[in-house]
Amino acid sequence: MGIVDVARVAGVSTATVSRVLNESDYPVRPDTREKVVEAAKRLGFHPNGLARGLLLKRTETVGLIIPDITNPYYPQISRGVEDVAAKHSYTVVFCNTDRDALKSERYVEALLRRRVDGVVIAGGGTDFEQATNLFSDHNAEVVLIGRHRLPFPSVQVDNFRAARKAVSHLVGLGHSRIGFITGPLNLTSARDRLRGYKAALKSAGIAPDNEIVAEGDYTEKSGYTGGLRVLDRRGRATGILAANDRIAIGAMAAAADIGLNVPADISVIGFDDITMASFVRPALTTVAIPAYEMGEAAMAMLIKLIQQEAHPRVIKLPAELVVRESSGPPPASKGETSKSRRLR
Amino acid sequence: MGIVDVARVAGVSTATVSRVLNESDYPVRPDTREKVVEAAKRLGFHPNGLARGLLLKRTETVGLIIPDITNPYYPQISRGVEDVAAKHSYTVVFCNTDRDALKSERYVEALLRRRVDGVVIAGGGTDFEQATNLFSDHNAEVVLIGRHRLPFPSVQVDNFRAARKAVSHLVGLGHSRIGFITGPLNLTSARDRLRGYKAALKSAGIAPDNEIVAEGDYTEKSGYTGGLRVLDRRGRATGILAANDRIAIGAMAAAADIGLNVPADISVIGFDDITMASFVRPALTTVAIPAYEMGEAAMAMLIKLIQQEAHPRVIKLPAELVVRESSGPPPASKGETSKSRRLR
DNA sequence: CTGAAAGCGCTTACAG
DNA sequence: CTGAAAGCGCTTACAG
């Protein structure tokens, strides 16, 4: 069942069928048009996109390469990408690399074979230099989300400034022992946040202390472990910046399990503003990263590239501090917990 | 740059190139084979999947239709689907319908045009009868996740029994005022859980009370609202079953904001066991739905269907109660909160 | 306004 | 073991 069948039933040529069904502005007599539409509907005709793509060299398909959809940051991005893709009748192929070189390579090959018109790549940690060049060489456009050191258009957020803003908030509240649980330091996002943290301490005249900095990996578990490390000692932090909300929530769990009160004993600030952030108790103060909008912007940019329209080379989106319940002034005297006060 | 170029460079025919590159078991002399492999590599040849698919009538692409990847239940499922897809070198096209008929229709058309080999459909609420028949008529296999009233293979979990199990746990703890915040009742999953809740009450000899049942929609917000409704009155519930973890976490937030202690004043049980469930405090008791495994099973089944292998018609996966901190015995005397006790 | 025909890049039955 | 050629289902330049 193909276009020739429609042509036969309508009593016209395949050329005419094609012109009608693609709403070409090629002139076709109204009654001819109607016969075609009628026949197509009667036969339940769905044009073969493979044949079309083969000929036209465009598939209206794009790839979305992310580390892991299970990380609550990526569903937002993906949704943004997909919504604008759908709006322009593009279809998106979904690739979870786990930041694994082998998996990435396989996906790149799969996308190349499927002749995608473009890809959006989010999340670093893998070296995409070769991959992006491959896509580029094969007429697939590339848009990056986040800061990569690659010469492709990208959508970014200023993680450095965002982290600084969060730390300043803590400083403004009176904190001077401010810890940090980082993301995986092979990621630029994580490194930028760490740099911002350090810069903010410096400009507040606070000496850095590695005892209250722990490396995490953007999971709740690493936040829990890091939280225990940063909190369970004398001279502990009175404020913690976490490199994302999952870490922050893990750290809050650690605080609770140690018997520390948030924010009375310890303030916690996250990053991202996932939905859950406003529903944990105390509600999480966090730096909101506009993930959905980043996805939207990336896909919009990709479509412009594909359709050879003008477009900016890099779009910077703002991150904003959302103050909720988990941040407050430090406890009155150092080392004293709300519990010890209560017990007095 | 195509197979003819590779053939020319290797000094063989396209037939031979095809046979070598597809690892056909057709006999090819080793040195010929080598020349082909060499040429393909040198030219950076990536076979055109569109041409291949057009001819073979299979694309090694499947569609994944879900309501919304932003709902933390679906990333797990999607990951399961995608992991086994990748393992078999299938590619997955990603469709978020928002349970919207128009969007669904568009995706179905897009998938049909792309000649996907099959689709897995998760999440009801939309009528997929027409869609599934369309796929079926066009040689695309269909696997459903969850209970639909459609004659297609499916992967399910027994929500009825799972809800009963959760309520029984509360009854065993001594609760007799047990509330329920439902999911959207147009979904069979939500209705099955509600039925299970009612059945468990009945077999425990507890009269149902609509005052402590609220309709939610699987979001934190609806859990918060529902929680306020069920908790903020005399004769309030001492235990709440929530139709998913997001609702449960919303309900816990409501309890906290009212000044109620979980589990001292009120026990809360969720459904799903999302990662966050073990990191909120108190950690959430919940019925673990094996979402990742459901995705895996569905995709595995789909591949068997496509490759015409034997397969079960329906796979039932077990749901297990995970007892953590949010459930405990009811407060000693009715209407008395831990706060009022403390104040005494 | 309409159609005949070439061609997109592959695979495979057939012939040698 | 190897190759010539047909054909998958479309679109479009060309001719009328």
Side-chain angles (χ1 to χ4, degrees):
Chain A
M1 225 293 300
I3 200 174
V4 307
D5 303 278
V6 178
R8 184 162 19 79
V9 170
V12 300
S13 72
T14 60
T16 300
V17 174
S18 173
R19 295 200 264 252
V20 171
L21 264 25
N22 290 304
E23 291 167 18
S24 136
D25 41 10
Y26 204 93
V28 175
R29 256 173 44 207
D31 57 324
T32 310
R33 180 180 303 276
E34 200 172 325
K35 277 190 297 183
V36 171
V37 171
E38 168 68 18
K41 178 181 287 179
R42 183 140 63 85
L43 295 176
F45 175 62
H46 303 275
N48 187 322
L50 302 173
R52 190 158 203 270
L54 183 57
L55 202 51
L56 264 34
K57 293 177 186 333
R58 72 192 137 74
T59 51
E60 298 190 330
T61 298
V62 301
L64 171 61
I65 300 182
I66 58 175
D68 180 12
I69 192 67
T70 261
N71 172 338
Y73 176 59
Y74 291 106
Q76 303 283 350
I77 288 192
S78 306
R79 226 6 188 114
V81 167
E82 223 249 298
D83 283 355
V84 349
K87 200 167 301 167
H88 296 261
S89 70
Y90 278 78
T91 250
V92 0
V93 171
F94 182 57
C95 314
N96 289 285
T97 66
D98 287 323
R99 309 187 194 280
D100 177 282
L102 181 61
K103 286 191 192 180
S104 301
E105 224 169 272
R106 286 210 189 125
Y107 278 120
V108 170
E109 178 64 22
L111 294 176
L112 247 18
R113 290 189 181 206
R114 268 144 188 103
R115 298 296 190 263
V116 293
D117 296 335
V119 296
V120 354
I121 302 180
T126 324
D127 182 9
F128 282 114
E129 181 166 359
Q130 217 189 334
T132 48
N133 288 335
L134 262 176
F135 284 124
S136 225
D137 291 348
H138 290 81
N139 292 313
E141 303 292 344
V142 175
V143 171
L144 303 171
I145 294 183
R147 200 165 64 80
H148 299 240
R149 281 200 199 72
L150 296 172
F152 291 93
S154 64
V155 176
Q156 305 182 10
V157 85
D158 193 335
N159 285 300
F160 177 81
R161 288 188 57 173
R164 251 188 1 194
K165 208 183 292 185
V167 173
S168 300
H169 170 239
L170 251 17
V171 169
L173 250 18
H175 292 263
S176 56
R177 294 283 299 159
I178 301 174
F180 187 47
I181 307 176
T182 75
L185 292 175
N186 58 325
L187 304 187
T188 53
S189 66
R191 285 201 305 274
D192 288 347
R193 288 171 190 184
L194 178 57
R195 285 194 307 116
Y197 160 78
K198 287 183 176 163
L201 288 187
K202 187 164 186 181
S203 68
I206 299 173
D209 179 355
N210 278 328
E211 291 292 301
I212 52 176
V213 174
E215 183 167 351
D217 63 3
Y218 282 160
T219 62
E220 291 85 356
K221 194 155 190 300
S222 73
Y224 188 86
T225 316
L228 290 181
R229 186 167 120 59
V230 169
L231 292 175
D232 197 19
R233 51 161 46 92
R234 307 234 140 264
R236 70 163 71 94
T238 61
I240 297 185
L241 178 59
N244 74 355
D245 289 345
R246 298 176 70 191
I247 291 181
I249 290 170
M252 290 213 297
D257 290 357
I258 296 177
L260 255 29
N261 229 294
V262 177
D265 301 318
I266 171 82
S267 289
V268 177
I269 301 188
F271 247 97
D272 290 353
D273 197 20
I274 61 179
T275 311
M276 210 49 90
S278 32
F279 287 99
V280 291
R281 284 299 174 271
L284 188 63
T285 292
T286 187
V287 182
I289 301 292
Y292 181 82
E293 288 79 7
M294 291 175 81
E296 285 187 313
M299 187 64 207
M301 187 140 75
L302 188 58
I303 291 178
K304 284 188 181 155
L305 281 163
I306 292 170
Q307 303 181 343
Q308 317 226 41
E309 292 171 22
H311 65 91
R313 289 283 313 166
V314 22
I315 296 179
K316 289 231 179 201
L317 262 30
E320 271 171 47
L321 184 69
V322 182
V323 177
R324 289 197 271 249
E325 305 162 356
S326 67
S327 59
S333 78
K334 248 182 203 162
E336 188 186 39
T337 68
S338 63
K339 199 205 285 182
S340 58
R341 281 198 304 282
R342 238 187 283 122
L343 293 175
R344 237 187 278 160
Chain B
M1 226 294 298
I3 200 173
V4 309
D5 303 277
V6 178
R8 184 161 21 76
V9 169
V12 300
S13 72
T14 60
T16 300
V17 174
S18 173
R19 296 200 263 251
V20 171
L21 264 25
N22 289 305
E23 291 168 16
S24 135
D25 41 10
Y26 204 93
V28 176
R29 256 173 44 208
D31 57 323
T32 311
R33 180 180 302 276
E34 201 172 325
K35 279 189 296 184
V36 171
V37 170
E38 169 69 17
K41 180 181 286 179
R42 182 141 63 84
L43 295 178
F45 174 63
H46 303 274
N48 187 321
L50 301 173
R52 189 158 204 270
L54 183 56
L55 203 51
L56 264 35
K57 294 179 185 330
R58 75 192 135 74
T59 52
E60 297 189 332
T61 298
V62 301
L64 171 60
I65 300 181
I66 57 176
D68 180 13
I69 192 67
T70 262
N71 173 340
Y73 176 59
Y74 290 106
Q76 303 283 350
I77 288 192
S78 305
R79 231 359 192 116
V81 168
E82 224 248 299
D83 283 356
V84 348
K87 200 167 302 168
H88 296 261
S89 70
Y90 279 78
T91 250
V92 1
V93 171
F94 183 56
C95 314
N96 289 285
T97 65
D98 289 322
R99 308 187 194 280
D100 177 283
L102 181 60
K103 287 191 190 179
S104 301
E105 224 170 273
R106 285 208 189 128
Y107 278 120
V108 170
E109 178 65 21
L111 294 176
L112 249 17
R113 290 188 180 207
R114 266 138 189 112
R115 298 297 191 261
V116 293
D117 296 334
V119 295
V120 355
I121 302 179
T126 324
D127 182 9
F128 282 114
E129 181 165 1
Q130 217 188 334
T132 47
N133 288 335
L134 262 176
F135 284 124
S136 225
D137 291 348
H138 290 80
N139 292 314
E141 303 292 344
V142 175
V143 171
L144 304 171
I145 293 182
R147 201 165 64 81
H148 299 240
R149 280 202 199 73
L150 297 171
F152 291 93
S154 65
V155 176
Q156 303 182 13
V157 86
D158 192 335
N159 285 301
F160 177 82
R161 288 188 57 171
R164 249 188 1 193
K165 208 183 294 187
V167 173
S168 300
H169 171 240
L170 250 18
V171 169
L173 249 19
H175 292 264
S176 57
R177 293 284 298 159
I178 301 173
F180 187 48
I181 307 175
T182 75
L185 292 175
N186 58 325
L187 304 186
T188 52
S189 65
R191 285 201 305 273
D192 289 347
R193 289 170 190 184
L194 179 57
R195 283 193 309 115
Y197 159 78
K198 287 185 178 164
L201 288 187
K202 187 163 187 184
S203 67
I206 299 172
D209 179 356
N210 279 327
E211 291 292 301
I212 52 176
V213 174
E215 183 166 352
D217 63 4
Y218 283 160
T219 63
E220 291 85 356
K221 192 155 193 299
S222 74
Y224 189 85
T225 316
L228 290 181
R229 184 166 121 59
V230 169
L231 292 174
D232 197 19
R233 52 161 45 89
R234 308 232 142 265
R236 71 163 71 93
T238 62
I240 297 184
L241 178 60
N244 74 355
D245 289 345
R246 300 175 69 192
I247 291 180
I249 290 171
M252 291 212 295
D257 291 357
I258 296 177
L260 255 28
N261 229 293
V262 176
D265 301 317
I266 171 81
S267 290
V268 177
I269 301 187
F271 247 98
D272 288 353
D273 197 19
I274 61 178
T275 311
M276 209 50 90
S278 32
F279 287 99
V280 291
R281 284 298 175 272
L284 188 63
T285 293
T286 185
V287 182
I289 300 292
Y292 181 82
E293 288 78 9
M294 291 174 81
E296 284 187 314
M299 187 63 207
M301 187 141 75
L302 188 57
I303 290 178
K304 285 189 181 154
L305 281 163
I306 292 170
Q307 303 182 345
Q308 318 226 40
E309 293 169 21
H311 65 90
R313 290 282 314 167
V314 21
I315 297 180
K316 289 230 177 201
L317 260 33
E320 270 170 49
L321 185 70
V322 180
V323 177
R324 288 197 271 249
E325 304 162 356
S326 68
S327 58
S333 78
K334 246 182 204 161
E336 188 186 40
T337 68
S338 62
K339 198 204 285 183
S340 58
R341 281 196 303 282
R342 236 187 284 123
L343 293 175
R344 237 185 276 161

